[in-house]
Each structure stands twice: as C-alpha cells, then as structure tokens.
C-alpha cells in the first residue's frame, strides 16, 4: 500500500518535531555524561594527590578511592536519567528493586565488601607486606573494594576475595622487624655433640647479619634412622631471613667437612642367613 503525500508529510512533520523536542534533551544528557566522566576522573586524581600528600595509608587510600568512584558514577547516572525526563520517584523505585535483586544475587560480593572494610579497620596487613593466606605466599599489591591482589615471588598475581581473607587465618611475615631462622641438620651416630655445637656457634658468629640477642642455639632433637637430628636457631632482620638461611646452609657444610663432622646418608645393613650353614 502506497502512502499518500499528506501522510508522508505528517510523518515527516512528527519526526522533525520529535527531533527538535528530544534532540536537545538527548544532547544535554550526552554532554552531562561526558563532562561528569571528566569531573569524576579529575576529582579522583586530586583525591589521590591529597591522600599522598598527607601520607594516608596506601591500603585505605586505594579502598576509599575505589568506593568513591562507584558512588560518583551512581550519582552521575541518576543525573543523566533525570535529564532524560525519567521521574526521580520511578527511578529510585527501579534502583531499589534492582538493588534488592542484585543484593540477593551478589551476596558473596557484599561479603567481600564487608571483608574489605574489616581489613582496613583492623589492618591485619598493609600494602607492601608479605602474607601467607588462602594457600598463597607473596607481597600485597593492592586492597580494593572486593579483592586483594597478592604478587607471588615468581611474579604471579593472585586475586583473593576480601571475605575469605577477613574470615580465615592470615600469616603476616612483615609485621615484625626480626625473624627466626630454623636450620635442620643431621650428623652421624657417634659424633661428639659438644664439638658440633662449638663448630656451629662459631660459624654463625662470623655472620654479621645474625643477631647476638637472642643468641643462636643448637639443640639435639631426636634419633633419626641414620643420623642424630639437630635444629639450629638464630635471629636476623626480616629482610635477611632467606639470605642468612641459604648462606649458612653452605657455610655449615664446609665447617663440618673441615672439622671431620660426618653428615650421614641413609644406610641399611643386610644380613644373609643360611639354614644349612654358611656356603663356601
């Protein structure tokens, strides 16, 4: 069916009328969205500078910035919707219904948010510290609204939900300035333990990284299958823990060899029994 000239003219008139009626509002909403986006970025940038200037804890700064970013975007979207003519009452009702549905669907995320708040309040760890949690050992890179990022020592980044961190055990390896170095070693049966203790303590005393107080100790802890088991303990700065351990493992081996202290290896005695006497 062909449209009449009058019908086409009416449609064109309505289209032009709609363009002039809706166009400015739509353009205003787009401009508001673009300007609002720029303002949010500007405010967050200024906030980051202020937090840095006043030396606010980095964990709190990251969390607060992320939270404020979310709030500002919600406010901006409400403003854009209002500009487009949506009634505030209807919009609030839609947000309320959507919030309830999202809350039910994202219970885990809400738990992560609450966990992030607890982490920032009680500070079991901070950005830059080394922790062991949820099967991960590494340095904390950031604490965000929902997740904490931990960088392993092999440079992998693990993202852990804040809820899991807040409700489970966390080992903080950086909170104290000193750490204890534990070295386990075995010596052969028949070894003079007093001599071994003297060699061990004199060797450790040569390492300036090892603290004099508490003083290093060597203790006999048990009878192994092929060795007398010893534990050696000393204290050092947290940053020197692994270098002290690795260096002294090698140094103690050399000291044992120089003093004829045998480091045993597993051995078995095999005896043959012949029912009819020893064979020739």
């Amino acid at each position: 069916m062909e449209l009449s000239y009058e019908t086409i003219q009416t449609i064109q008139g309505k289209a032009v009328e709609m363009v002039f009626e809706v166009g400015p509002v739509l353009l205003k909403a787009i401009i508001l969205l673009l300007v609002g986006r720029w303002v949010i970025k500007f405010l967050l940038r200024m906030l980051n500078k202020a937090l840095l200037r006043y030396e606010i804890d980095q964990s709190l700064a990251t969390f607060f910035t992320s939270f404020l970013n979310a709030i500002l975007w919600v406010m901006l979207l409400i403003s854009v919707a209002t500009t487009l003519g949506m009634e505030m009452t209807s919009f609030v009702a839609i947000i309320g219904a959507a919030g309830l549905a999202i809350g039910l669907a994202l219970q885990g995320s809400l738990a992560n948010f609450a966990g992030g708040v607890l982490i920032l309040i009680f500070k079991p760890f901070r950005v830059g510290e080394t922790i062991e949690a949820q099967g991960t050992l590494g340095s904390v890179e950031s604490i965000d609204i929902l997740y904490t990022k931990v960088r392993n020592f092999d440079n992998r980044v693990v993202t852990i939900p804040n809820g899991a961190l807040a409700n489970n055990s966390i080992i903080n390896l950086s909170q104290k300035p000193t750490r204890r170095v534990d070295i386990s070693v075995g010596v052969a049966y028949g070894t003079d333990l007093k001599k071994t203790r003297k060699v061990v303590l004199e060797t450790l005393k040569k390492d300036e990284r090892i603290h004099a107080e508490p003083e290093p100790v060597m203790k006999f802890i048990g009878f192994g299958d092929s060795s007398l088991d010893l534990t050696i303990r000393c204290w050092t700065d947290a940053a020197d823990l692994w270098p002290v351990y690795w260096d002294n493992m090698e140094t103690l081996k050399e000291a044992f060899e120089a003093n004829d202290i045998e480091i045993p290896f597993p051995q078995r005695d095999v005896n043959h029994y012949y029912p009819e006497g020893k064979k020739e």
Side-chain angles (χ1 to χ4, degrees), residues 192-204:
D192 186 343
L193 294 183
K194 292 183 179 179
K195 174 185 176 182
T196 303
R197 181 176 288 106
K198 180 180 179 182
V199 170
V200 167
L201 297 181
E202 287 180 351
T203 301
L204 296 179

Side-chain angles (χ1 to χ4, degrees), residues 182-186 221 230-232 245 249:
D182 294 340
I183 300 175
S184 298
V185 66
I221 58 172
L230 311 175
T231 184
I232 302 166
Y245 176 85
M249 284 288 286

Side-chain angles (χ1 to χ4, degrees), residues 134-206:
Q134 298 297 298
T136 297
L137 173 64
S139 175
V140 178
E141 283 205 332
S142 66
I143 304 173
D144 298 323
I145 292 179
L146 301 178
Y147 300 97
T148 292
K149 291 183 179 179
V150 177
R151 179 172 55 83
N152 285 341
F153 296 117
D154 57 0
N155 217 30
R156 292 180 298 171
V157 176
V158 181
T159 302
I160 305 176
N162 287 336
L165 287 174
N167 292 290
N168 290 281
S169 299
I170 301 171
I171 300 175
N172 191 323
L173 305 177
S174 302
Q175 205 165 61
K176 299 299 181 180
T178 59
R179 293 280 305 280
R180 191 182 73 190
V181 182
D182 294 340
I183 300 175
S184 298
V185 66
V187 295
Y189 277 92
T191 301
D192 186 343
L193 294 183
K194 292 183 179 179
K195 174 185 176 182
T196 303
R197 181 176 288 106
K198 180 180 179 182
V199 170
V200 167
L201 297 181
E202 287 180 351
T203 301
L204 296 179
K205 193 178 296 184
K206 297 176 183 177

Side-chain angles (χ1 to χ4, degrees), residues 44-119:
L44 293 177
R45 188 163 56 249
M46 296 300 294
L47 176 63
N48 283 327
K49 290 182 179 179
L51 294 174
L52 184 63
R53 184 183 306 117
Y54 290 102
E55 298 181 351
I56 302 299
D57 180 76
Q58 188 176 354
S59 305
L60 182 60
T62 302
F63 186 90
F64 183 67
T65 302
S66 301
F67 182 72
L68 183 61
N69 180 56
I71 295 298
L72 290 175
W73 268 103
V74 170
M75 295 174 60
L76 176 60
L77 292 177
I78 291 175
S79 299
V80 171
T82 304
T83 303
L84 289 173
M86 184 177 292
E87 293 185 6
M88 183 58 64
T89 304
S90 302
F91 191 71
V92 170
I94 292 174
I95 290 180
L100 177 61
I102 292 172
L104 293 174
L106 300 177
Q107 294 182 37
S109 296
L110 294 176
N112 291 336
F113 176 81
V117 173
L118 291 175
I119 288 172

Side-chain angles (χ1 to χ4, degrees), residues 7-22:
T7 303
I8 295 175
Q9 288 293 105
T10 302
I11 294 174
Q12 288 179 344
K14 291 291 184 180
V16 172
E17 182 180 344
M18 183 176 294
V19 168
F20 280 100
E21 182 179 341
V22 178

